[in-house]
């Protein structure tokens, strides 16, 4: 079984330091490459689906979270307020949804603009206890792939179903398997103040989410006590190699915050109407999804995510010049390529050192002597497609990376 904490350090992806604090990992260059690739991927997928991206601050006044309900129902998981002098207090945000509600409220909206899909890869902070922190799976500073769709009631089911489809697409591209879908409901007797006390709100939202799941054909099971404080949610569950489950992606239908923030749109009748707020996260937090990918793939990421996508291996010093030409061509194509020359050891040692790199291009006397700058190709999965012209090799790898799929080589 792979442990992302051990592998993450061995592969120089991330680490921690006591002076930074528990639950506050930092990303090393190779880990930052994986994170950047993920962020670019999810933004591209969201743009294709009609989302518009925003940025919002990681701080908010305490009053903001009093309005949203976080202060009453979620303050145990929030960091203490910071005093700015006088009566002003600001808080590190535990969630992005109050900020997005304010952004929506800052402009008037017509029904013709809906659904309005607002997305952000933004930071949020949770005051987790030291005993539950671990690696990237449970941290105090979270980079969340979040989005909020402001829509009419009639649009809410279709938007939530579309969010589930986006999640399924991302899991296929990333090689992630969902172990189950869960309809997360409140606990009995209101959870001792844990949940918003509005039975009608819960009934309406639960009925809609059941319709979403039933219409999507996704098997699911209900779980009490797992809801958000303001409403039920669909949780997409994953499991680590030891079988421990965690929630990665979520879809929620929210009537609570549109009411608390007095959100509205102008309907075809010229009157004000209350929108519905659909919350959704495709890949959840960047930290948790990277932890899962490390364990799922053992550090052998899909080619489009790999920190190094191509390593060029000249057998001897005489082939360095040709190797450098291929390196330049690969980098011009946007590939993350490196050259590992004879100064790094025998060819066998260099091949083993690059075992997690998707593509290896070996250049010996035969390849250097041939017309067309040939390279002998080795794939990470053990296949050897043979000698390929350098230009064709770089183009084929670039095509596979652009496709963002699991295949390494088209037959």
């Amino acid at each position: 079984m792979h442990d992302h904490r051990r592998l993450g350090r061995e592969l120089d992806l991330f680490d921690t330091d006591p002076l930074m604090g528990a639950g506050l990992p930092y990303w090393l260059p190779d880990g930052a490459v994986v994170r950047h690739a993920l962020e670019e991927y999810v933004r591209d997928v969201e743009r294709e689906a009609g989302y518009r991206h925003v940025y919002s601050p990681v701080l908010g006044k305490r009053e903001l979270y009093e309005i949203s309900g976080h202060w009453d129902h979620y303050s145990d998981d929030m960091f203490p307020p910071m005093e700015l002098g006088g009566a002003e207090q600001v808080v590190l945000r535990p969630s992005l949804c109050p900020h997005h509600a304010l952004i929506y409220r800052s402009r008037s909206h017509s029904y013709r603009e809906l659904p309005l899909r607002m997305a952000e890869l933004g930071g949020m902070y949770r005051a987790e206890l030291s005993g539950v922190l671990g690696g990237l799976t449970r941290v105090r500073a979270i980079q969340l792939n979040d989005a909020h769709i402001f829509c009419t009631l009639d649009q809410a089911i279709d938007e939530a179903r579309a969010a589930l489809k986006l999640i399924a697409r991302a899991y296929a591209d990333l090689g992630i398997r969902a172990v189950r879908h869960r309809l997360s409901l409140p606990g009995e007797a209101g959870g001792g103040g844990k949940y918003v006390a509005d039975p009608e709100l819960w009934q309406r939202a639960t009925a809609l989410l059941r319709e979403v799941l039933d219409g999507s054909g996704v098997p699911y099971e209900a779980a009490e006590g797992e809801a958000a404080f303001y409403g039920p949610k669909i949780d997409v569950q994953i499991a680590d190699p030891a079988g421990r489950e965690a929630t990665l992606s979520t879809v929620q239908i929210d009537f609570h915050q549109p009411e608390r923030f007095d959100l509205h749109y102008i309907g075809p009748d010229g009157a004000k109407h209350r929108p519905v707020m659909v919350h959704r996260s495709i890949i959840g937090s960047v930290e948790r999804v990277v932890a899962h990918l490390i364990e799922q793939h053992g550090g052998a990421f899909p080619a489009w995510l790999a920190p190094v996508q191509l390593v060029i291996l000249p057998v001897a010093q005489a082939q360095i010049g040709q190797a450098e030409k291929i390196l330049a061509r690969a980098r011009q194509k946007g590939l993350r390529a490196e050259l590992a020359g004879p100064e790094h050891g025998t060819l066998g040692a260099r091949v083993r050192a690059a075992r997690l790199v998707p593509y290896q291009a070996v250049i010996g006397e035969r390849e250097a002597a041939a017309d067309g700058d040939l390279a002998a190709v080795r794939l990470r999965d053990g296949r050897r497609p043979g000698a390929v012209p350098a230009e064709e090799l770089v183009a084929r790898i670039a095509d596979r990376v652009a496709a963002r799929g699991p295949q390494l080589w088209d037959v």
Side-chain angles (χ1 to χ4, degrees), residues 90-164:
V90 293
V91 181
L92 283 166
R93 68 178 173 193
S95 177
L96 279 70
C97 43
H99 291 72
H100 288 188
L102 292 184
I103 294 173
Y104 176 88
R105 195 176 74 175
S106 69
R107 304 288 187 274
S108 62
H109 300 281
S110 162
Y111 71 96
R112 294 186 181 89
E113 298 174 59
L114 305 184
L116 191 157
R117 305 181 184 102
M118 187 185 301
E120 180 176 4
L121 271 157
M124 65 182 197
Y125 300 84
R126 303 279 171 88
E128 301 279 10
L129 298 176
S130 298
V132 301
L133 298 171
L136 295 177
T137 55
R138 202 71 179 263
V139 293
R140 287 171 171 159
I142 303 164
Q143 193 73 14
L144 186 68
N145 159 230
D146 206 7
H148 299 93
I149 304 160
F150 302 89
C151 61
T152 67
L153 181 60
D154 291 341
Q155 295 167 334
I157 288 176
D158 286 343
E159 290 299 316
R161 279 189 191 142
L164 280 180

Side-chain angles (χ1 to χ4, degrees), residues 58-111:
V58 298
L59 293 168
K61 292 178 70 172
R62 171 176 165 170
E63 182 184 357
L64 171 62
Y65 306 106
E66 290 173 344
I67 294 171
S68 70
H70 285 82
W71 197 256
D72 287 338
H73 302 281
Y74 202 75
S75 58
D76 287 348
D77 295 296
M78 296 170 62
F79 282 98
M82 291 174 271
E83 302 283 349
L84 295 184
E88 188 175 10
Q89 293 181 325
V90 293
V91 181
L92 283 166
R93 68 178 173 193
S95 177
L96 279 70
C97 43
H99 291 72
H100 288 188
L102 292 184
I103 294 173
Y104 176 88
R105 195 176 74 175
S106 69
R107 304 288 187 274
S108 62
H109 300 281
S110 162
Y111 71 96

